[in-house]
Amino acid sequence: MGRILLAVGGVATILVAAFPQPEHGSSPEHTLAAGAAFIALTCWPLAASRGSPFVLRPPTGAAATVVFAVLLAVFFVQLHGGNQIGLTERLLAGAQSLWPATVTVYLRHTSPADANPTD
């Protein structure tokens, strides 16, 4: 499930670029693609499983998802009358893009014995 959510988030992010916001007003295609990307990438860490390396275990995934959900909620509030829309969007997108990079770096620098503990 994790790979599907990550793929949906990636494809939706590409669609965000394919359907940019107009200079004035909004684009329903952009909004739909951005919403799908943000939701998929917020939920992705929840696909963690027991026995996985630390960054892919359920408590770590839940913590990452909570952070993303809070950022998503703040962004949603800003969309409805806030004056920091751009900042909150960048914080959310930045955090969501850094998490897969963090997972990748962790897994690359963990020995196979450390990555699959027997306990």
Side-chain angles (χ1 to χ4, degrees):
M1 181 56 109
R3 291 177 182 167
I4 292 169
L5 286 169
L6 193 55
V8 167
V11 169
T13 299
I14 291 169
L15 292 175
V16 166
F19 300 114
Q21 288 283 44
E23 189 172 331
H24 300 287
S26 65
S27 160
E29 296 85 3
H30 179 89
T31 302
L32 181 64
F38 284 144
I39 291 168
L41 294 174
T42 294
C43 295
W44 172 66
L46 288 178
S49 62
R50 293 184 188 273
S52 295
F54 173 75
V55 293
L56 295 174
R57 290 185 187 155
T60 310
T65 296
V66 166
V67 170
F68 299 153
V70 167
L71 290 170
L72 183 59
V74 171
F75 175 59
F76 186 77
V77 168
Q78 289 296 311
L79 281 175
H80 294 86
N83 60 358
Q84 298 295 322
I85 296 170
L87 175 63
T88 56
E89 181 180 24
R90 284 169 184 80
L91 285 172
L92 175 59
Q96 289 182 334
S97 66
L98 286 175
W99 185 245
T102 301
V103 170
T104 301
V105 169
Y106 179 86
L107 294 177
R108 288 194 56 115
H109 292 293
T110 304
S111 71
D114 295 335
N116 296 311
T118 57
D119 58 333

